[in-house]
Structures are given as C-alpha cells and as structure tokens.
Amino acid sequence: MIIDCDANATYSPDQRIRGVISSYLESLGNPSSLHRGGQRARAAIEEARAAVGRLVNAKAHDRIIFTSGATEANNTIIQSFRGSRGELVSASNEHPCVLEPLRQLASLGSKVIFVDPTSDGSLSAEAVSKELTQTTALVSIMAANNEVGAINPIGEIARVARQRSPRAVIHSDAAQLLGKGTVSLDALGVDLLTISAHKIGGLSGVGAIVMRDKIDVKPLLIGGPQEGKVRGGTENVIGIAVFGVVADALVNELPSRIQGMERVRDDFERMVLQEIPNVIINASGVARLPNTSSLYIPGVRADDLVVALDLEGILVSSGAACSSGKPEPSHVLISMGQSEERVRSTIRVSFRSDLSRQDVPRVVTALQRASERMRNKQSGASSVI
Ligand code: PLP
C-alpha cells in the first residue's frame, strides 16, 4: 500500500466528491445561460461560494472570486499593481507564483523588495517593517511556507503595515494554511487572501481570491463579465462545486483534522530523531503547519532518497512540487541562509489528515533504512577516493 506523505503538493481528492462529479457528467450547463441547465450550474457556483465563505469566515460584503487556482489568484492580484508607483514588498521565500510576477513587474520598472526570512523560515514583522514607507502600495506575505511549513506572523505584519503604510493593500497567499489553520481576512488582518482547492481535497485547477469589497483587483483574464468582472471565462462548474463540498466538510472538521495531523507529525518526528542520527528539523523554532516536517539528513542526497522511498511505496518530496523534477536547489532553504549541503540533503514529509498514526513506523523504518544505506554507500565511496 502506498503511503502518501506529500500532501503539501496536492491532497488526494476527498471521496465524498464522487457524487457531485457524477451528477454533472450527465449534463453541465453554462452558468451564464438563462435556461434551467444554466441556472442549475449558477446555483451550484453560488452554493460553493457560500461554503467557501463559511470556511474563511467571510463577512457579508467580502467577495470570493473563483479562479483556476492559487497561481492565477496570486498573478491576478500582483498584476493589478502593474505600473504602480509605490513599492511592492514581499519575501524571498514566497511561492514562485508570487515571486515571478513580482520579478516581472520589477523588470518593467516597479520597485520590488523581497525581505529574507530568518534561518527558521519565518518572516519577522520587524524585518518587513524596515522596508515599509508611506508610499508602499502592496505587502504580499504568505501565511505559511509550503516547503518548511513555517507560519508567518501575518496579523502582526499587517498591523505594522497599516501603521507605516496606510495606503498599502495587504495580501497573503494562504494556499498552505487553508485546512491546517484558521484562514480569514479578519484573523490574518489582510485585505486579500488566495486559496487553492486541491490543497484541501478538492480538484486541482480551482482556487479563489477572498477580498474585502473596498479593494480593487483588476482582472487578469478579460473578455467576459464572470466573477463580478474580476475573472473572465466560463467558470469551472464541477471544480467549483467540489471546492464547495470539501470546504463545507472542513468547516466542522478543521479542529479534529489539525489535531490528527499534529499527532502524526509529532510521532513521526519523535521516532525520526530516535532512529536516524544527526537529523535536523528545519523551522522547528517557529510556529509550523501541523502536517509538515522538513528534515535535513546530513550525508543523504534528497533526490536519491525520494526515489528510494518511492520504491518502498512512500511518497515524499525533495522540495516544492513545482520545483522538484528540475535540479535547481530550493530557493526557500537558500533564503534561510542554509548551506549547500543542507539544501541538497533536505526532504519534505507532509501528512494528509486521514493518515493513521499506525502508518508512522513504516514511514520511519523506510526512511531510516534508506538513509543508512545511502550514508554507508557514501562513506564507502569516499574511502575509495
Ligand atoms: N501558493 C502556495 C504557497 C502553494 O503551495 C501553491 C501550490 O503548491 C500555490 C500557491 C499554487 O497553487 P495552485 O496549484 O492552486 O496554483
């Protein structure tokens, strides 16, 4: 049996969505059509909007704009600042779908500042504060890091930003915190949030911008009046309906899911520290996602370890899903000032909320055996040299 410990990349769909999907396979209306097929699709979208709204504790005037994922949501928000005269402040360990559009705006003349995290992978409000001015236009800081799991003090950062930069729009990419912590505009103190369905058991290719109504976001995709003219194009009805179903389930299940993930993660880390010599847990000094363990295993190449564990039926990652498959080292660990060896020898283990504690020993044993084999091989190889 395969044990999927790569939940931060994507989370296998919740099985409760089967019925929703099959009901749309018979007929799928266009939500903009006036006939009953269209109205059924429209109703499904509005029901999903209400469910996602409940999950993020949205107020009556807050808006939820469905997109094709957090990547599109982040791009839409950042591209809204094209040509802005004020500075755009973000962090060097953000997801590439925040970093790249910001770099593009920088190449077009915007002043973009990337703040570095601490060696534990979180952003200090003080470090962000130093970069804020009266003219700052955007502050975009992720709620939690996808690779090491560090949770940023967004509430504190937002408070400082409101004082120092009263005109700034404050955004947080909450794609990883959703389903693993409290995500709401008020709880985080921000104007805009981005979220993704497949990180909570929905389908990939669906996400949303959650925004306060006073905020003006320019559409990235133009040509249709859908989603309040913020996102043109026929809506992904099935994906959005499924997002609603998984969001609805999560409203009640969040506390127990967090507790379950924490237990599994704590068991796992306790056993790893006992069984594998010299392991260091990245970001262990700061608040972390309840399901994420980023492990530095000295002397073991992460890419080889991922393949070795895959052969044993255990899925982990050597970095973020979007960056694995290409040989570039993790920009997140680099931004934390970690050594090249540590960057090369770090794996990410991220647990689903339905993983049983009974599965943990199998994961640790496989990890321990594979690490030992690789360390032996390496020390053998160096003695030949
Ligand atoms: N932001 C973060 C922090 C992520 O972890 C991811 C996905 O890995 C994304 C954004 C992109 O989300 P999506 O796959 O919905 O485009």
Side-chain angles (χ1 to χ4, degrees), residues 17-213:
I17 66 180
R18 279 171 187 271
V20 184
I21 296 175
S22 61
S23 75
Y24 287 103
L25 296 180
E26 281 161 28
S27 80
L28 182 66
N30 185 319
S32 296
S33 299
L34 290 179
H35 54 64
R36 75 183 72 173
Q39 292 316 296
R40 177 172 171 250
R42 167 63 46 214
I45 290 177
E46 297 317 319
E47 218 175 284
R49 207 183 307 279
V52 171
R54 283 194 297 279
L55 179 59
V56 298
N57 222 347
K59 299 259 172 60
H61 292 101
D62 296 338
R63 298 171 73 191
I64 290 160
I65 308 296
F66 288 116
T67 64
S68 67
T71 298
E72 185 195 319
N74 287 333
N75 270 265
T76 304
I77 291 166
I78 290 164
Q79 292 292 352
S80 284
F81 289 85
R82 186 181 276 252
S84 156
R85 297 234 177 99
E87 309 92 78
L88 314 177
V89 176
S90 188
S92 53
N93 61 345
E94 292 285 318
H95 192 274
C97 68
V98 167
L99 293 176
E100 291 306 322
L102 281 170
R103 285 185 186 132
Q104 189 185 60
L105 296 195
S107 74
L108 296 172
S110 291
K111 183 165 184 207
V112 179
I113 298 151
F114 293 111
V115 180
D116 285 329
T118 63
S119 59
D120 256 325
S122 86
L123 265 278
S124 81
E126 202 189 339
V128 177
S129 168
K130 282 187 190 145
E131 305 300 340
L132 298 173
T133 70
Q134 287 286 321
T135 53
T136 301
L138 172 71
V139 177
S140 176
I141 305 288
M142 70 197 328
N145 185 269
N146 45 310
E147 290 192 33
V148 298
I151 294 178
N152 284 322
I154 297 295
E156 210 182 320
I157 291 171
R159 252 191 317 278
V160 171
R162 300 242 183 256
Q163 282 163 7
R164 293 185 65 91
S165 309
R167 278 189 287 191
V169 169
I170 305 174
H171 162 240
S172 184
D173 172 359
Q176 287 295 339
L177 190 61
L178 193 70
K180 302 164 196 157
T182 303
V183 170
S184 83
L185 293 173
D186 284 346
L188 300 178
V190 298
D191 301 311
L192 289 157
L193 281 174
T194 40
I195 53 178
S196 173
H198 72 113
K199 308 292 183 185
I200 59 165
L203 301 177
S204 48
V206 188
I209 300 172
V210 183
M211 58 198 269
R212 297 192 196 270
D213 67 340

Side-chain angles (χ1 to χ4, degrees), residues 211-272:
M211 58 198 269
R212 297 192 196 270
D213 67 340
K214 61 171 180 150
I215 299 297
D216 189 24
V217 169
K218 296 190 189 110
L220 187 66
L221 302 182
I222 53 175
Q226 291 89 351
E227 294 301 295
K229 298 191 183 154
V230 180
R231 201 273 182 178
T234 304
E235 299 89 337
N236 174 356
V237 180
I238 298 181
I240 292 171
V242 163
F243 195 6
V245 171
V246 293
D248 192 48
L250 198 51
V251 172
N252 293 325
E253 294 170 9
L254 185 63
S256 62
R257 286 201 206 178
I258 291 175
Q259 206 178 50
M261 287 187 280
E262 251 164 10
R263 284 200 187 120
V264 165
R265 195 262 324 260
D266 292 349
D267 282 1
F268 170 77
E269 291 187 350
R270 202 169 33 249
M271 289 177 71
V272 162

